[in-house]
């Protein structure tokens, strides 16, 4: 018999994070958001709680939990604020997880304890200015210098979360390491095969430059920047995983990350329901609470439906991941549905709040500004539909 209820350990975690979000994040995050300021004290407290170490083994400084636990935390944080949630999501699933999944024992022991403690943030350098959804069209290069046994990196990355904070310690970048000749069919001319590898670049490495913060529509209390590399040299040992497997490694990381973004999206969608219920009960018009009007009831009912289905979708994908079952299609479905549900709920919550929904002092204004990026980051809605179609056996 199936039981969709959380066990006691998961429920305790969910409740703990929910209380932290309500008591610590909610009262102050609006000010950080308006100042476009990174909330260092909140992040530090999240580190003390062990949130950055949730899915990692204790031997590397983690909490000995799993990816499902991380997603539970992300949903509860995003229920109050997405800037804080995306800082955790990117720090764990994009910053630390590549090292845990593909790093050597030395790399894990060097980096993971500080990343898991939240003392240091890692970033994920994949997207490039002319790449976007075509992440395989990497132009950043990494030439191996035989004389010094170093990688020499040149290129630019954009839209990189957690890359320029005072506690950012590393960025893992994908780079074109060497084209390998590949013979074409029927004896034609050889064509180059793009060899993409992953390399760890510590912050402060000469030739590694971090730009000023982007001016963004949403996620204003999170850190997002462009990165440039000019003859940036790192040791041979900074290669992450097998040479030439960098792109395949990051595809795996993105598959997992889509579950995390689905959980974050579900949290935002739930926050919209929470705020709308509260407002509908207290806002009076024409002599009665607006929640007494069927039009408002139907809007909130649809919002609750979308939130519920989003939660079921990400939990299904996360469960498949934990059971080591195929989950690529389910992750794409969860990310696609929940991100669009978040956008729809944010729009309806703003409408329910009327003019107040357009005022930044109300959380729904922040939700509305934060929601759209969920349909874009870690694979656009169009890319998710392509992935689902491919998993169904359809090809273009």
């Amino acid at each position: 018999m199936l039981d969709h209820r959380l066990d006691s350990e998961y429920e305790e975690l969910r409740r703990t994070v929910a209380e932290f979000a309500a008591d610590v994040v909610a009262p102050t995050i609006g000010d950080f958001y308006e100042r476009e300021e990174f909330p260092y004290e909140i992040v530090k407290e999240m580190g003390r709680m062990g949130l950055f170490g949730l899915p990692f083994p204790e031997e590397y400084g983690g909490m000995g939990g799993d990816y499902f636990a991380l997603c539970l935390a992300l949903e509860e944080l995003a229920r109050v604020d997405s800037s804080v949630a995306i800082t955790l999501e990117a720090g764990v699933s994009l910053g630390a997880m590549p090292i845990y999944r593909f790093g050597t024992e030395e790399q894990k022991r060097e980096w993971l304890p500080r990343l898991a403690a939240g003392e240091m943030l890692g970033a994920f350098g994949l997207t490039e200015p002319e790449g976007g959804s075509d992440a395989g069209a990497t132009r950043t290069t990494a030439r191996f210098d035989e004389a010094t046994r170093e990688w020499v990196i040149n290129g630019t990355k954009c839209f990189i979360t957690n890359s320029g904070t005072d506690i950012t310690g590393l960025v893992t970048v994908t780079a074109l390491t060497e084209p390998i000749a590949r013979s074409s069919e029927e004896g034609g001319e050889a064509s180059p095969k793009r060899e993409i590898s992953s390399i760890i670049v510590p912050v402060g490495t000469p030739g590694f430059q971090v730009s000023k913060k982007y001016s963004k529509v949403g996620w204003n209390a999170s850190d997002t920047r462009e990165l440039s590399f000019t003859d940036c040299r790192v040791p041979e040992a900074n290669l992450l995983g097998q040479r030439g497997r960098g792109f395949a490694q990051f595809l795996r990381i993105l598959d997992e990350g889509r579950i995390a973004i689905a959980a974050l999206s579900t949290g935002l969608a739930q926050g919209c329901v929470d705020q709308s219920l509260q407002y509908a009960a207290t806002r009076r018009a024409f002599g009665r609470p607006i929640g007494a009007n069927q039009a408002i009831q139907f809007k909130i009912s649809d919002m609750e439906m979308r939130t519920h289905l989003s939660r079921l979708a990400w939990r299904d994908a996360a469960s498949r991941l934990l059971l080591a079952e195929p989950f690529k299609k389910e992750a794409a479905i969860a990310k696609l549905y929940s991100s669009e549900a978040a956008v729809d709920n944010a729009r309806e919550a703003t409408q329910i709040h009327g003019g107040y929904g357009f005022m930044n002092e109300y959380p729904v204004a922040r939700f509305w500004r934060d929601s759209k990026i969920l349909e874009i980051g870690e694979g656009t809605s169009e890319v998710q539909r392509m992935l689902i179609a491919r998993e169904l056996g359809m090809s273009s």
Side-chain angles (χ1 to χ4, degrees):
M1 180 177 178
L2 294 177
D3 187 348
H4 294 289
R5 293 172 296 182
L6 298 176
D7 65 24
S8 58
E9 187 173 344
Y10 283 138
E11 177 57 28
E12 182 180 359
L13 170 66
R14 187 204 65 75
R15 186 171 56 251
T16 298
V17 178
E19 291 173 355
F20 169 77
D23 297 341
V24 178
V25 179
T28 61
I29 194 61
D31 291 337
F32 284 106
Y33 196 93
E34 289 307 305
R35 295 194 304 265
E36 299 186 7
E37 181 180 328
F38 190 79
Y40 286 101
E41 287 304 315
I42 292 176
V43 172
K44 182 187 245 183
E45 182 60 29
M46 289 162 59
R48 286 195 288 261
M49 292 172 64
L51 300 188
F52 286 93
L54 276 173
F56 303 120
E58 294 179 7
E59 63 180 302
Y60 299 121
M63 298 294 289
D66 53 35
Y67 212 84
F68 193 96
L70 170 65
C71 291
L72 281 175
L74 290 171
E75 179 179 333
E76 292 302 326
L77 289 172
R79 192 168 178 172
V80 170
D81 180 73
S82 291
S83 291
V84 171
I86 195 60
T87 297
L88 177 63
E89 191 277 335
V92 177
S93 71
L94 301 182
M97 192 60 73
I99 294 174
Y100 174 63
R101 294 284 188 215
F102 309 113
T104 63
E105 190 64 24
E106 291 74 18
Q107 289 170 339
K108 292 176 184 178
R109 296 202 177 276
E110 178 179 2
W111 298 109
L112 282 180
R114 285 177 288 171
L115 293 170
E119 299 169 0
M120 172 189 291
L121 292 176
F124 172 95
L126 176 64
T127 305
E128 300 193 356
E130 297 184 17
S133 293
D134 188 8
T138 301
R139 295 192 177 188
T140 296
T141 62
R143 173 181 60 84
F144 187 66
D145 187 332
E146 293 283 355
T148 62
R149 309 301 296 179
E150 294 175 317
W151 294 102
V152 185
I153 306 170
N154 286 278
T156 304
K157 300 293 182 177
C158 62
F159 311 137
I160 310 303
T161 304
N162 291 346
S163 58
T165 74
D166 293 345
I167 58 174
T168 300
L170 66 93
V171 177
T172 302
V173 301
T174 52
L176 187 64
T177 43
E178 185 179 348
I180 300 177
R182 178 180 61 190
S183 298
S184 60
E185 296 180 359
E186 305 299 331
E189 295 184 1
S191 60
K193 178 182 178 182
R194 295 168 57 81
E195 179 188 271
I196 297 175
S197 303
S198 305
I199 301 174
I200 299 171
V201 182
V203 168
T205 303
F208 173 24
Q209 184 174 357
V210 181
S211 74
K212 66 179 183 179
K213 293 186 297 184
Y214 287 109
S215 175
K216 298 175 294 187
V217 171
W219 285 1
N220 285 348
S222 77
D223 180 82
T224 316
R225 304 183 190 237
E226 182 174 284
L227 311 177
S228 63
F229 304 88
T230 306
D231 291 334
C232 176
R233 290 176 173 267
V234 298
E236 178 181 13
N238 284 31
L239 179 71
L240 181 63
Q242 183 180 346
R243 177 171 174 170
R245 293 290 298 168
F247 187 63
Q249 292 168 6
F250 273 121
L251 287 180
R252 164 69 188 219
I253 293 299
L254 286 174
D255 284 339
E256 295 181 2
R258 285 169 184 141
I259 304 175
I261 292 296
L264 191 156
S265 300
T266 302
L268 189 151
Q270 183 66 65
C272 291
V273 174
D274 297 341
Q275 293 296 321
S276 296
L277 282 171
Q278 180 181 335
Y279 188 79
T282 57
R283 174 74 165 97
R284 298 181 65 85
F286 305 104
R288 62 178 183 170
I290 63 170
N293 297 313
Q294 196 174 66
I296 300 297
Q297 294 172 4
F298 282 8
K299 282 182 182 295
I300 296 178
S301 295
D302 286 344
M303 292 163 65
E304 176 68 8
M305 173 188 67
R306 287 188 287 263
T307 303
H308 179 71
L309 295 176
S310 296
R311 184 173 295 113
L312 292 178
W314 82 249
R315 288 187 179 184
D316 173 63
S319 297
R320 292 171 186 271
L321 168 62
L322 297 189
L323 293 171
E325 296 178 353
F327 67 92
K328 181 186 288 287
K329 180 183 70 175
E330 288 74 18
I333 290 171
K335 198 273 182 182
L336 172 61
Y337 184 83
S338 62
S339 62
E340 294 189 347
V343 171
D344 289 342
N345 278 18
R347 184 184 61 250
E348 294 289 30
T350 302
Q351 191 71 17
I352 289 169
H353 280 68
Y356 291 109
F358 206 64
M359 300 296 109
N360 285 327
E361 64 186 275
Y362 281 78
V364 294
R366 194 166 68 245
F367 295 161
W368 184 72
R369 292 164 67 179
D370 289 340
S371 64
K372 182 57 189 175
I373 189 60
L374 298 172
E375 295 182 317
I376 299 172
E378 295 204 34
T380 65
S381 293
E382 291 77 12
V383 166
Q384 303 315 307
R385 288 181 167 90
M386 289 168 52
L387 292 172
I388 295 166
R390 190 177 301 160
E391 289 298 304
L392 291 173
M394 296 183 282
S395 60
S396 56

